[in-house]
Every structure is written in C-alpha cells, then in structure tokens.
Amino acid sequence: MNEAALKDQSINRGFLFISFGAFFIMLSLATHLPAYPHMLAEFNLTPGYAVWMQLGLAVGLTGFQPLLGWIGDSFGLKIVILIGGMFMVIGSLLVAFSFSFWVLVLGLFFKGISGAAIAPSGIAYAGKFMVGTQRAKAIGTFAAFITIGAVFGPVISGMIVDTANWQASFIFTAVLGGLGITLFAFVPHVKVQARKKLDVLGLIFVIALLLGLLTIPTFINSFGIESGMWIPSLLVFVTALIILIFVEKKQKAPLLDLEYVANRNFWVPTTIAVFIFLGYSGVMYLLTFFVQSVQGKAATTVGFLQMAVFLGTSVAAYVSGRIMKKLSARLIIGSGILIFSSGIIMLNFVTLTTSFTYLFIAMSLVGIGVGFQTPVVKGLVVSKASTERMNVVTFTNTVIENLAQRMGASLALVAFSIFSASGNNVGAIVNTSWVIMGFIVIALLFLPLIPRAIPGIHTSEDDLIDTNVVPKALQTEEIK
C-alpha cells in the first residue's frame, strides 16, 4: 500500500474517532433541557431563573471558542477535543452534586466549554484534510453524528428524570464524557508547523462582548424591559465590539479572523444561519415549558419532541452531504429554509389540546429544515479559508451560531414571559412563533447572495445539475 493510501486511511480513521466521540459529547450536551423544570424545583426557584442556567451554558459555548480555535491551530485539534471530553466530565459531576444553584450554573458553564470544543472539530478536520466529494460527505456525516447524538439525549434524560431523578441524568453524561475521551485518544496527532502567539487582548474583549450581549435578555427577563437594567449590558457589548475590531486589525495572528469574516463565503451563510438558529433553539425551549408547564405532560414527552427535532436534523444533514456535490448551495439552503418555516407555521395554530402527533410533525419539519442547510453553510464557510487558520475560521463560525442559539433560547423565554403576562400561555406560544417567522423572512433576504458553487467541493457551476440550461429546440415553423 503506497504512502498516499496510508495517509488517506489515517485521515479517515481519525475522522471516525472524532465523529463517534462527538456523538457521545453532543448526546450529553442535549440531556439537560428536560431536567430544567425539575432542577429549578429542587432549589425552589421560578422558571425565570432558567435564563441564568441558559447564560452559564451560553458563556461556555461561545466565550471560549475563539481560544479553542487558537489552541487547535497552535497545538493540534487532538488537544482541543480531549479538553472537550474532560470538561464534560467535570461539568456533569458539578451539576449532579451541586449544593447550590450557582454551582449548578458553573457546571453548565463547563458543559458549554465541552460543546464549544467538540461542535466545530469535525468541520475543521474535514476542511483541512479533505476536498471535493470527500469533504462534502464528511461535513454531512459529522453534522449527522452530532445531531443524532442529540436525538437520544432528551429522550434518555426524560426517562431518567421520570424514573430516578435529575441528578442521575448528569451522572450518566459524566460517563459519556469519559467514553468520548477514550475515543479521542485514538485520533492521530497532527504536528502543526508553528505555534501562534495568543491574542490576549482579543480574548478579553471577545469574552466581554459575549457577556454583554448574552446578559441583555437575562436582565430583561429578570427585571423587565422598562427597568433599563439591560442598558449597561448593551453598552458593554457595543464598546467591546468597537475595541475588538480595532485590536484585531492590529494583530498579526488575531483570535478572530476578521479579514476572512468579511469574505462573502463566510458572512452570508453565517448570517442566514444566525436568523434560522434564533428560531431553531428558541422553539425548542418554548416547547419545553409549553408541554410541561402549560399542557402538564411528563418530561419524557419533551424528550420525544426533542428527538423529533434532532432526528430530522441528523437525517437531513446526512442526505444534504450526499447531494451537495450535484446541487447548488442556493437551492439546498433555500429548500431548508422553506421546510423549516413550514414547521414554525404549524406552531402558529397550537391550542391547549394540540396532540403530540401534531407537535411531533412540526418539530420534525423544523429539524429537517435546519439539517438540510447546515452542511452547505459549513462547506461555504471553510471554502476559501487557509488550512493554517482552519480551526480559527470554523470556531469563529461556530461561536456566532452558538451565540445565535443561546440568544434564541433566551429571547424565546423572554418573549413567552412577556406574551403570557396577560394569562394566555397558548397565545404566547403563537405570538412567539410569529416573531420567529420574522427571523425567517430576514434570512430569505440574504439567499440571493449565496454563491451557487462551493470552492473545495465544486470545481465550477458545470458540476451542478440544477443550474445547467438546456437550449430549447426550435420548431420548424419558427425558423425563417
């Protein structure tokens, strides 16, 4: 067997270890949602405190991704994924044995760091070592792995919560984190050419920016929009953003690759993903409290609805990766948005007695729509990135998407609280769904800016069967 074939086998084997390990980590990350109401009850807290739990998870998922991207480019991706596995174990045990609410929030923060390390890893690996059809299939496969892990997480967690207690579900995720570490240990270590100098100022202002932005919905939910308590957070966000842009432009190896962010292949698909993920994450948190607190159903029911979302996302992502080579990026993303919107439209008609089957179908459509477009978005994001900055680019994209998901979850909880203030909880669900429809309309406005072909996967538009124009033969009478 020649050297090229051995190298190819090693790359594929490493990708499989990353994917299977990511399956266990993302399964663990998806288990907390059905336990939220029980965790709050444990500490005699109202549902409004869920935004603090959400904030802890969100800061972990977003605040340290740029740093993890730098670690990946400087020391290798294997170090990053091992960090992810360790933080899942530590965070899960902190939550399971928390003696106060704020220790629980700290545990969720550590679990967020774990997700931040793992979620972009397979995309960075595929972007660096694979091209063409192989890259398209790998991106779709990895997206399927991490979402199918999330398929089982809510169901298993719901069952554990209903049959034992919520603490047991986090002990279970600590075990899964250990399995992830074991698998990541077999990923080949790829030596990097040179270590990059850490952009300390960039890291400080990234964290300040994210804390400012993420605490806006937290303070609105806790003190009300009329209180003005959220305004300092807004000022922190704006100030940190301005300083961060100035600082990063001065850096030779910036923590965030702002130069590449300005590339159309990065900012256009990422912008679309932001508005879709605002609704994707928001609707899942919305349904959790609707099903358990309004309809009075068990946590297991929420788990099965979460399964509908993630199963749809997983299957659609896998299929998308297989057809990406032949269809244009614009067609696939546009189709995904339309499928997603059909699920949200169904939620506009829910009532107190809406059946589980109806909700399951709606959530399946939401998942399919997001899963169908995700591999294409990721393919575009890495399409023109330097291999030496691949981790920074993919982690930058993921931090933006995770930020959108966390903001979507918080905003959904805030919107639900505002709309339900009149006492009509069902109406609050419907009104919040209309807000999500507004996000979808904005996403569609950016669709024409999506390029048809994806560099690194398509050689040219001639590869795409949906953009080839076949001349119509002239009829005899049309010839003069």
Side-chain angles (χ1 to χ4, degrees):
M1 188 176 293
N2 59 39
E3 184 179 349
L6 286 171
K7 182 180 178 182
D8 193 56
Q9 276 193 353
S10 177
I11 289 173
N12 291 334
R13 187 166 56 250
F15 176 76
L16 287 176
F17 280 124
I18 291 175
S19 297
F20 279 107
F23 166 82
F24 289 115
I25 298 299
M26 302 313 289
L27 189 157
S28 303
L29 199 64
T31 56
H32 63 278
L33 191 52
Y36 263 25
H38 299 268
M39 296 159 76
L40 292 170
E42 176 79 16
F43 295 98
N44 297 315
L45 299 173
T46 62
Y49 276 84
V51 295
W52 292 103
M53 298 161 68
Q54 176 64 25
L55 179 63
L57 187 70
V59 173
L61 271 170
T62 58
F64 291 86
Q65 277 195 339
L67 174 61
L68 291 165
W70 173 84
I71 292 173
D73 283 332
S74 300
F75 298 94
L77 187 62
K78 183 173 182 177
I79 301 296
V80 175
I81 56 180
L82 286 172
I83 290 173
M86 288 186 288
F87 270 97
M88 178 55 68
V89 174
I90 296 170
S92 297
L93 293 177
L94 273 176
V95 174
F97 298 104
S98 55
F99 54 85
S100 76
F101 175 72
W102 300 110
V103 173
L104 184 150
V105 171
L106 178 64
L108 290 174
F109 165 70
F110 283 163
K111 289 190 71 175
I113 292 178
S114 174
I118 302 305
S121 59
I123 308 299
Y125 192 88
K128 189 166 187 174
F129 298 113
M130 302 175 183
V131 294
T133 303
Q134 187 185 25
R135 179 187 290 185
K137 290 181 177 180
I139 291 175
T141 299
F142 182 76
F145 262 97
I146 61 176
T147 49
I148 203 170
V151 167
F152 298 105
V155 177
I156 295 172
S157 175
M159 291 179 176
I160 294 174
V161 170
D162 288 338
T163 57
N165 52 54
W166 65 265
Q167 290 92 341
S169 68
F170 288 95
I171 294 174
F172 173 67
T173 62
V175 174
L176 294 182
L179 287 174
I181 293 173
T182 302
L183 288 167
F184 295 146
F186 290 98
V187 175
H189 176 71
V190 179
K191 186 178 180 180
V192 296
Q193 291 183 350
R195 294 181 182 179
K196 315 295 191 300
K197 182 180 178 181
L198 177 59
D199 177 12
V200 178
L201 283 177
L203 177 62
I204 292 172
F205 287 106
V206 163
I207 294 175
L209 179 151
L210 294 171
L211 281 173
L213 185 59
L214 289 168
T215 51
I216 291 174
T218 302
F219 287 127
I220 290 176
N221 185 75
S222 299
F223 303 105
I225 194 169
E226 71 283 349
S227 69
M229 293 291 289
W230 54 274
I231 294 177
S233 293
L234 177 62
L235 293 177
V236 169
F237 164 69
V238 173
T239 303
L241 177 61
I242 294 171
I243 297 175
L244 178 65
I245 293 173
F246 176 79
V247 167
E248 294 300 87
K249 285 186 176 180
K250 299 291 185 180
Q251 294 288 336
K252 292 183 179 179
L255 194 69
L256 297 176
D257 200 331
L258 295 182
E259 182 177 349
Y260 186 71
V261 166
N263 189 296
R264 186 178 73 160
N265 282 31
F266 183 96
W267 75 265
V268 174
T270 301
T271 300
I272 290 176
V274 162
F275 286 105
I276 296 302
F277 277 128
L278 282 171
Y280 179 70
S281 182
V283 77
M284 285 192 284
Y285 279 78
L286 199 62
L287 266 252
T288 296
F289 284 92
F290 174 71
V291 171
Q292 290 193 76
S293 302
V294 179
Q295 289 190 324
K297 296 181 180 179
T300 304
T301 303
V302 175
F304 278 109
L305 289 176
Q306 297 290 315
M307 183 183 73
V309 176
F310 293 127
L311 184 60
T313 303
S314 178
V315 172
Y318 184 81
V319 172
S320 179
R322 291 308 188 263
I323 64 174
M324 197 193 313
K325 177 67 176 176
K326 292 299 181 182
L327 297 178
S328 69
R330 195 178 302 171
L331 175 66
I332 296 176
I333 292 177
S335 300
I337 293 174
L338 292 178
I339 296 170
F340 174 77
S341 64
S342 64
I344 301 300
I345 290 172
M346 288 183 67
L347 295 179
N348 292 331
F349 299 98
V350 299
T351 66
L352 187 61
T353 58
T354 295
S355 68
F356 170 80
T357 302
Y358 183 92
L359 294 176
F360 191 90
I361 294 172
M363 298 303 278
S364 296
L365 291 172
V366 166
I368 291 170
V370 171
F372 201 60
Q373 68 172 22
T374 295
V376 181
V377 169
K378 299 298 184 182
L380 281 168
V381 163
V382 303
S383 61
K384 293 187 176 181
S386 166
T387 56
E388 293 183 0
R389 299 280 287 169
M390 188 62 67
N391 285 283
V392 166
V393 168
T394 54
F395 278 72
T396 300
N397 166 257
T398 306
V399 72
I400 295 172
E401 292 184 348
N402 281 339
L403 181 61
Q405 291 190 59
R406 305 285 67 82
M407 287 294 292
S410 297
L411 289 173
L413 292 173
V414 170
F416 180 75
S417 298
I418 293 173
F419 288 132
S420 62
S422 61
N424 184 2
N425 288 330
V426 176
I429 293 287
V430 174
N431 290 334
T432 307
S433 297
W434 280 112
V435 172
I436 294 173
M437 286 300 299
F439 294 149
I440 293 172
V441 171
I442 297 173
L444 285 170
L445 295 177
F446 289 90
L447 188 60
L449 297 176
I450 291 289
R452 295 180 183 274
I454 306 173
I457 293 177
H458 304 124
T459 54
S460 69
E461 289 195 17
D462 294 336
D463 290 345
L464 311 175
I465 60 175
D466 61 313
T467 58
N468 293 331
V469 179
V470 179
K472 180 181 177 182
L474 292 174
Q475 300 295 326
T476 306
E477 58 270 18
E478 291 179 308
I479 301 176
K480 302 298 183 180

